[in-house]
Amino acid sequence: MKLISWNIDSINAALTSDSARAQMSRQVLKTIQTEDPDILAIQETKLSAKGPTKKHLTILKEYFPDYKVVWRSSIEPARKGYAGTMYLYRKKLMPVVTYPEIGAPDTMDQEGRIITLEFEDYYITQVYTPNAGGELKRLASRQVWDEKYRQYLVDLASRKPVLASGDFNVAHQEIDLAHPASNHHSAGFTDEERAGFTNLLAAGFSDSFRALHPDTKNVYSWWAQRAKTSKINNSGWRIDYWLVSDNILDKVTASVMLDSGDRQDHTPIKLEINL
């Protein structure tokens, strides 16, 4: 089974804009199309509460015919057009789709951050983890989220193995970002966020990329758009993950980043596993 996860940073912009960045986004979609995944998880869709328009669905069908689309958008009282997640999966697959709430603080449960696909022998779930925010204004809430999300995955794993992907908004170890020293107190690399991720892994999950590539340096999944040379200089962060239950780690055959060319922001991540 081949699975891909990508924070797209606005489906509407990627599919309908004529900007240079949108054209690069569509090239990434073509790369994903060539990979021919069984399941594609997408984060930060930034769609309205009504979800994708007919135009969006038509364009997605051109890229991915024979796939079913399920989505979850931010709804009031959360911000409009914020966060959001989506799955595209082959129509022959027939998962039970759920849109869990985990008892998260603030409006996090209304921001469309989690979708879970239940299959006979395993779960596949994706997450768009809340960012701690500028000046770490949301760090305390983020810490509560991390614990609630950990409890949610542990509950799933008590029933059957779990594959969890998405933008976790944390670089776990110093090897996972280009400049750890200067980012020690930055959102995504605080001691608190890193500890939250450590606790998640300790609950029975493996970071599939690091498990297969324990000493590999300079491999990242995100490069800041605001820094024009971040991609050129590979000043990146690895904040997107495929986690798997420890008891199926031996079934993973590949966990890699896909090449997104010159496009900054997130790159897709791919997991291949024999289930």
Side-chain angles (χ1 to χ4, degrees):
M1 178 172 275
K2 184 184 290 187
L3 312 165
I4 292 176
S5 180
W6 184 32
N7 178 320
I8 198 170
D9 187 25
S10 177
I11 276 186
N12 184 62
L15 298 182
T16 67
S17 173
D18 291 324
S19 70
R21 186 165 185 271
Q23 292 175 34
M24 288 189 283
S25 296
R26 288 194 284 275
Q27 190 58 50
V28 175
L29 282 170
K30 289 179 181 177
T31 297
I32 295 172
Q33 180 187 51
T34 301
E35 288 283 343
D36 196 28
D38 295 290
I39 297 174
L40 170 60
I42 299 176
Q43 301 91 49
E44 203 170 2
T45 55
K46 293 184 177 178
L47 292 172
S48 75
K50 295 180 180 179
T53 64
K54 289 183 178 179
K55 183 175 183 179
H56 295 147
L57 292 173
T58 297
I59 296 172
L60 285 171
K61 190 173 182 180
E62 292 172 358
Y63 283 100
F64 305 104
D66 303 319
Y67 285 72
K68 185 176 171 89
V69 179
V70 295
W71 53 271
R72 188 177 190 186
S73 291
S74 181
I75 59 173
E76 292 184 346
R79 287 162 50 191
K80 296 180 180 179
Y82 178 61
T85 46
M86 175 182 285
Y87 270 118
L88 287 84
Y89 58 86
R90 295 190 190 280
K91 290 180 179 177
K92 67 180 181 181
L93 301 174
M94 293 183 286
V96 174
V97 183
T98 56
Y99 308 90
E101 295 187 0
I102 60 174
D106 195 20
T107 60
M108 291 176 176
D109 270 336
Q110 286 75 50
E111 292 166 3
R113 293 185 175 275
I114 306 174
I115 306 177
T116 298
L117 308 180
E118 180 180 358
F119 295 89
E120 183 177 359
D121 298 318
Y122 51 87
Y123 292 98
I124 296 177
T125 185
Q126 69 166 308
V127 65
Y128 177 36
T129 302
N131 192 296
E135 299 180 359
L136 303 179
K137 290 180 179 178
R138 221 178 184 190
L139 179 59
S141 295
R142 162 64 185 269
Q143 290 176 264
V144 177
W145 168 279
D146 284 346
E147 176 58 21
K148 295 288 187 180
Y149 182 71
R150 185 191 66 81
Q151 292 172 6
Y152 173 68
L153 285 197
V154 167
D155 179 60
L156 290 184
S158 71
R159 287 171 265 170
K160 44 188 135 178
V162 173
L163 295 84
S165 74
D167 174 1
F168 283 77
N169 260 317
V170 60
H172 186 212
Q173 304 291 355
E174 290 191 356
I175 194 175
D176 296 315
L177 72 167
H179 303 293
S182 60
N183 282 292
H184 184 198
H185 299 293
S186 299
F189 198 61
T190 62
D191 292 340
E192 293 86 349
E193 291 163 298
R194 295 170 67 192
F197 198 77
T198 296
N199 291 340
L200 176 57
L201 297 182
F205 304 96
S206 293
D207 169 0
S208 62
F209 175 84
R210 193 53 70 198
L212 268 61
H213 311 280
D215 301 313
T216 299
K217 299 178 180 179
N218 305 317
V219 175
Y220 308 119
S221 68
W222 177 81
W223 300 264
Q225 292 185 67
R226 293 179 182 178
K228 292 182 179 180
T229 60
S230 66
K231 193 77 176 279
I232 296 170
N233 296 333
N234 198 27
S235 269
W237 298 49
R238 192 173 69 90
I239 59 176
D240 302 84
Y241 299 84
W242 272 106
L243 306 185
V244 300
S245 292
D246 289 342
N247 58 358
I248 58 169
L249 177 60
D250 62 345
K251 299 182 184 297
V252 175
T253 57
S255 184
V256 298
M257 316 299 157
L258 296 184
D259 184 4
S260 54
D262 294 332
R263 185 185 186 274
Q264 294 177 218
D265 206 54
H266 295 264
T267 202
I269 58 174
K270 177 178 71 171
L271 181 80
E272 294 183 18
I273 186 168
N274 293 322
L275 288 172

